[in-house]
Amino acid sequence: MSFARQSLLAAAVCLSVAPSGCRKDTSPPVAVVDDDAAQSEPGTAPEQPQAIAKKVDPNAKPMRIRASARELSDILEFIRTATATWAPETAVNPEAQIQAMLLQFGYGPGLWSNLNLDGVMAVEAEFPPPGSHMVVNNRLVGSLATVNASKLIEAVPMTHRPQPLGNGLYEWVGDDVRLLFREQAASLEFGLDMASLDAANALAQSSTSGPRVSMTAWDFPTEDISLSRLLELPRNLQLSRTLDEIAAGMKSASFGFDAGLKRDIQLTVSAEAEFGRLGLGPLGSPRTSATKIEQHLPGGAVSVLAMPWGSPEMLHKTLDRAVPIEQVPAPFDAMARDAMTAVHQILDGIRDDVLFAMYLSPRGEATIVLAAGVSDEAAARAGIRGIADTITRAVQAYSALSGGQADASFKTTWKPEAARLPRGKADLLTVTFPKNMQRELESAAPFLRKKNNLDVYLHVDGELAVVAFGGGAKKFLSELGKTPKDSLASDAGLALARQSSGGCHFCLSVDPLASIRMFLTFARLDPSDTSKDERKRIDQALKSLAKVELEGGAGAGLRLDAKEGAFGMGLSHTMVVPPKATVDKLMGIIEKLEKRPETTKKPLKKAK
């Protein structure tokens, strides 16, 4: 289905075709009256004989859908501007496409021009679920924002045009349904009966907040919904079965979309279901604003994953089941036991939030950071050092079992308080990889120091515990304790994750421009996929990207409450419609990356 057809559906469906889910109303047709006659009050239908009551199943629960859209003109203009920004030659003009489609279907130009795209379009319907034989009282109520409702109706082809009844009322009769329309000063109301028309204004007023485009469905069939299949999980997992059972008991589902010239793109999907069955104990309250950890960490991350901390009880049990220490052979059994003790100690010491982040320095040094808010500085330091000590002993034991060959042995160096920081000191654990792994390590060079050394820094300061490793870890830690110019508290992606999901338990932020730099940094290091000429072009692209400024970010958030779940995504509008100079720079970089070197064939020498 084309974009124009999708846009047309919300505005013109009630004027062109009847809803397929509605059964024929048994009420008698409304009589046509003279506009000048005083048979009834303006805007009301004349009195009719009492309709025969339907035999409705009192236990039947109809499916209900509510949808709304408002301020569509800004969304359509945003689409036109965004496509013209990045692809001027193939820019999309939604309004022009929709108008052309309407003319092709026989609608007059007055239909589109008399729709008020800045107003509210809303509809609510109740009907039997698809394939059901239940008998219910069907319901349909809706409102279209208009400039002139009568001129809008006049633009509808005669075969579909509602017929006037007088007093601003119109009637449309199809094979299975009869619709009433009522003309108002700034809207066209529609429904199956007068009661529906009277409810239209309240429905429109209730749709003036929230996402600009939204839809909610209740009591719909759930037999064919499988969350495990959607997530591509193996069917034999207990998690897969639990997810499918949760989906089967879903009571409602909602969809929301927002965009505009000055609005970030946001997409939200939510559902009312028993998500508490997943075991949500380790999760704290969903975060709707920046946390203390984010205020201490520098901004500019490639990606960030933040989550609130709850009770570690379930994690303790899961770890104990997953690591059967009695089956670990000596001498590693004692190390495994010590490591588990340290992990349990760390889990108990986490106070409120946990955060994972990846950074890439201007020089191409990559750093991975794990940070957590802790309740006891000494206990947190002891737990982290316990893990480091276990790693050191395990590497030494492995080297001894492998014969201690220099070219095939791992080495570790453990130096407590080896790095001086603005506030306190950090422990340093250095892992030296075997020389016979040099080729495999080439693609991991941004994380290493001196080709085969991985530095892991461990630092606890007050209520903040940080583990950082990679080529830029030392420089990253040197910024801790200072007042950052730009902290993660102002990260645009995290803000979008929280806003789009209504507060998130898993908040993900991605910087698209930094992600491209990260991808190219690692792509140039793979000798099997990258030629010398390609590496040269990537180096040039990285230098050019360092000079490009692109505000905003992208984010995704997942919220899992006991009775409701929501997933949201967002993208800053400044990244979709950036300044022309920025677009020109990026397009130039892309063209250079895609350019292939011209090969010139040497002329063949003539045979003597």
Side-chain angles (χ1 to χ4, degrees), residues 12-318:
V13 64
C14 293
L15 299 175
S16 57
V17 295
S20 59
C22 298
R23 297 177 184 272
K24 185 174 182 180
D25 198 325
T26 58
S27 302
V30 179
V32 179
V33 298
D34 189 350
D35 285 337
D36 299 326
Q39 298 179 4
S40 59
E41 295 294 328
T44 62
E47 294 183 4
Q48 299 296 330
Q50 183 67 31
I52 300 174
K54 298 179 181 179
K55 293 182 179 179
V56 176
D57 182 358
N59 298 318
K61 206 167 187 180
M63 180 175 172
R64 180 160 65 102
I65 293 179
R66 177 185 296 170
S68 67
R70 71 179 193 279
E71 301 169 15
L72 292 174
S73 59
D74 191 36
I75 296 178
L76 298 178
E77 180 60 20
F78 170 74
I79 295 172
R80 188 199 66 78
T81 304
T83 55
T85 298
W86 293 98
E89 297 179 357
T90 58
V92 176
N93 189 334
E95 288 205 52
Q97 289 191 4
I98 293 172
Q99 293 182 64
M101 182 72 71
L102 288 172
L103 292 173
Q104 192 176 34
F105 286 158
Y107 293 88
L111 188 143
W112 185 255
S113 62
N114 281 288
L115 279 173
N116 179 10
L117 298 180
D118 291 323
V120 177
M121 320 287 182
V123 63
E124 184 172 321
E126 293 183 7
F127 49 87
S132 171
H133 298 288
M134 68 173 63
V135 179
V136 299
N137 282 322
N138 297 309
R139 180 172 178 268
L140 176 67
V141 54
S143 175
L144 296 175
T146 61
V147 176
N148 188 311
S150 61
K151 290 184 178 180
L152 184 146
I153 292 177
E154 290 174 3
V156 177
M158 285 297 299
T159 54
H160 296 89
R161 185 180 301 170
Q163 298 304 306
L165 302 177
N167 303 316
L169 287 172
Y170 298 82
E171 180 187 50
W172 188 92
V173 179
D175 294 336
D176 297 320
V177 71
R178 181 195 63 160
L179 286 178
L180 292 178
F181 294 83
R182 183 164 64 188
E183 179 183 344
Q184 298 286 16
S187 65
L188 180 64
E189 301 168 344
F190 58 89
L192 295 178
D193 49 35
M194 291 302 300
S196 298
L197 295 181
D198 293 338
N201 182 61
L203 175 64
Q205 292 299 319
S206 68
S207 304
T208 57
S209 61
R212 285 177 164 178
V213 179
S214 66
M215 185 176 73
T216 302
W218 295 265
D219 302 314
F220 49 87
T222 59
E223 292 82 2
D224 296 329
I225 300 177
S226 172
L227 291 178
S228 65
R229 188 164 57 245
L230 178 66
L231 300 174
E232 298 183 353
L233 297 175
R235 298 285 295 174
N236 59 346
L237 292 180
Q238 177 59 45
L239 176 61
S240 299
R241 293 190 289 270
T242 302
L243 286 172
D244 289 341
E245 290 169 1
I246 291 173
M250 199 181 303
K251 297 179 180 179
S252 69
S254 299
F255 165 84
F257 173 76
D258 211 336
L261 288 172
K262 298 297 182 181
R263 284 188 178 227
D264 299 328
I265 299 175
Q266 292 190 41
L267 176 68
T268 304
V269 179
S270 61
E272 183 183 2
E274 297 291 335
F275 290 100
R277 295 187 54 190
L278 293 173
L280 306 177
L283 299 177
S285 301
R287 296 297 186 243
T288 57
S289 60
T291 63
K292 290 182 179 180
I293 293 180
E294 295 159 24
Q295 295 172 2
H296 291 294
L297 299 181
V302 178
S303 61
V304 183
L305 176 62
M307 57 176 286
W309 191 255
S311 170
E313 181 179 355
M314 180 179 291
L315 294 177
H316 286 313
K317 295 179 179 178
T318 302

